[in-house]
Amino acid sequence: MRGVLRHLGAVQLDTISVLARSHELIPYARLGAVGRKAVESAYWTDTHAFEYWSHAACVLPIEEWPHFAFRRRAYRFRPHWNHELPDGVYETVVKQLRAEGPLTATELGGAKNGGPWWDWSAAKIAVERALMFGEVVCVERRGWKRVYDLAERAVPDDLLHDDLDDLECLRRLVRLAGQSLGVGTRADIADYHRLKGEQVEAVIADSGLVPVAVEGWDKPAWADPEALAAPPRGRHRTTLLSPFDSLIWDRARTERIFGFSHRLEAYVPRPKRIHGYFAMPLLSGGRLLGRVDPAREGTTLVARQVSLESPKAVAPMARALREAAEWVGCDAVRVERVDRPELAAPLTAAVAAAVA
């Protein structure tokens, strides 16, 4: 699991939990039915990772701490905050962490004022600002709450510095994005760690990536030379993907590579949803063959809505549903709706056979 984190360079976090949270689904998609507690342990024990703003809120390998110095500096000089912070609160929060050790925002004095989602308490504003500035680190998630500690305790001494200039930081992150993607356009590479196009342009020539032309793409691209030199591999997983998986988180790239249009509809009003609240694409044989909107009812995994590209997707979908059910502790699978009615009976039969 640590190898997956190292290879991807960033594992996105999100509050939505249907089968499991996204940062659990991502190693599951690559490794199979890894223990969910083991996933958390791999991220948070022995200082292997830290949480910071990358593509979004992400788990990142701890050795990349120095390369996010450019972002920490940007936040310090131009903090993106609409919250007013009373005098002395920031210093009080840091002092409390120093005296008491790792704490949640609740333990620091309360996370909310009782209003809407962003109605944070002064303590929450202060500790989040300290996290963005790099004085504080999220060292784990406890009941989905961030647990904060001082960076000076949580980050190894040899990594705890902001010595690298912005160009060196950007050069490293562009190279890492190219390695994780294998090949990408400037926009693909920029999106990976949410860099600006001009930041990528400034360093890509000496990032170690090589310019390539990709058949069917109308824009220049860059590739990881090690990926180009490696022999093609035919080993593929059949699995369900989190919409926040870096393989598909860029919708334009997903359509360009897989010919598969996908969007997260969790924030779309229910009547306007096409594929469901948390539709998970089906990966099989290196292709995206369909998607399913899953739910859990007790020990039953419910496929609320299934979309299949062709009859060839029936068997892989049944296999993926059964494996996912077992992974989250379900002993039954129920299919509710299939977009192609003629495939409903074959899918139900295939699921039953997989269960048997």
Side-chain angles (χ1 to χ4, degrees):
M1 285 173 280
R2 289 171 178 168
V4 169
L5 176 61
R6 174 68 268 167
H7 177 72
L8 297 180
V11 169
Q12 186 172 341
L13 295 152
D14 193 80
T15 58
I16 296 174
S17 180
V18 178
L19 291 181
R21 294 201 189 273
S22 188
H23 67 285
E24 299 171 308
L25 291 167
I26 289 165
Y28 163 74
R30 287 153 180 80
L31 302 175
V34 294
R36 295 174 65 184
K37 290 184 179 179
V39 173
E40 299 291 338
S41 178
Y43 291 149
W44 301 121
T45 59
D46 303 326
T47 321
H48 280 276
F50 70 106
E51 181 183 329
Y52 201 59
W53 296 102
S54 168
H55 182 82
C58 290
V59 182
L60 303 164
I62 192 65
E63 55 265 38
E64 302 309 328
W65 173 272
H67 301 105
F68 281 84
F70 83 101
R71 188 156 284 163
R72 293 191 290 271
R73 281 191 288 266
Y75 285 139
R76 291 176 201 139
F77 292 125
R78 188 172 56 87
H80 299 274
W81 290 94
N82 295 318
H83 301 92
E84 293 297 326
L85 189 60
D87 291 343
V89 175
Y90 185 100
E91 293 76 14
T92 298
V93 163
V94 171
K95 183 178 180 180
Q96 187 175 351
L97 286 171
R98 178 166 283 114
E100 299 180 30
L103 298 169
T104 65
T106 301
E107 293 166 337
L108 284 165
K112 301 288 291 295
N113 283 328
W117 179 257
W118 292 108
D119 186 25
W120 285 353
S121 69
K124 174 68 172 176
I125 296 170
V127 76
E128 286 291 324
R129 190 171 295 185
L131 184 143
M132 295 175 80
F133 292 176
E135 191 166 0
V136 159
V137 177
C138 173
V139 292
E140 66 172 308
R141 290 272 186 161
R142 186 186 304 155
W144 197 241
K145 294 180 179 179
R146 281 176 171 160
V147 179
Y148 306 90
D149 197 7
L150 298 182
E152 65 195 49
R153 283 199 293 249
V155 180
D157 291 344
D158 59 330
L159 300 175
L160 186 63
H161 64 81
D162 283 355
D163 297 345
L164 305 182
D165 64 29
D166 284 9
L167 287 179
E168 189 166 355
C169 294
L170 294 169
R171 192 177 300 115
R172 170 68 173 175
L173 293 182
V174 165
R175 175 62 185 261
L176 287 176
Q179 289 175 335
S180 299
L181 292 169
V183 62
T185 64
R186 183 188 74 169
D188 295 340
I189 292 168
D191 184 65
Y192 205 85
H193 291 293
R194 293 286 163 84
L195 306 177
K196 297 177 181 178
E198 57 267 28
Q199 291 176 316
V200 175
E201 285 289 349
V203 299
I204 198 164
D206 55 354
S207 67
L209 304 179
V210 297
V212 295
V214 180
E215 185 177 356
W217 292 13
D218 60 1
K219 294 182 179 178
W222 287 263
D224 172 22
E226 293 186 10
L228 292 175
R233 294 182 297 173
R235 180 170 165 265
H236 295 292
R237 281 266 294 145
T238 292
T239 191
L240 301 177
L241 297 173
S242 163
F244 302 110
D245 194 305
S246 56
L247 182 66
I248 57 168
W249 66 22
D250 186 325
R251 307 312 179 208
R253 174 182 169 83
T254 299
E255 190 161 355
R256 190 181 342 119
I257 289 180
F258 292 103
F260 189 89
S261 179
H262 187 69
R263 65 181 296 204
L264 175 68
E265 297 180 334
Y267 308 109
V268 174
R270 186 187 297 270
K272 295 185 178 181
R273 291 175 189 158
I274 298 171
H275 297 291
Y277 174 77
F278 194 74
M280 299 180 67
L282 168 68
L283 177 71
S284 184
R287 300 178 185 277
L288 298 179
L289 302 181
R291 70 199 95 201
V292 58
D293 183 32
R296 294 170 65 183
E297 294 180 2
T299 60
T300 298
L301 187 153
V302 182
R304 294 188 294 191
Q305 183 170 333
V306 180
S307 304
L308 301 172
E309 297 288 299
S310 76
K312 293 181 179 179
V314 168
M317 178 62 80
R319 188 161 62 252
L321 286 170
R322 183 56 190 171
E323 183 186 80
E326 291 176 349
W327 180 54
V328 297
C330 291
D331 55 17
V333 177
R334 186 176 79 246
V335 177
E336 289 191 340
R337 295 189 304 277
V338 181
D339 67 334
R340 299 175 60 164
E342 73 276 12
L343 299 180
L347 178 60
T348 300
V351 167
V355 171

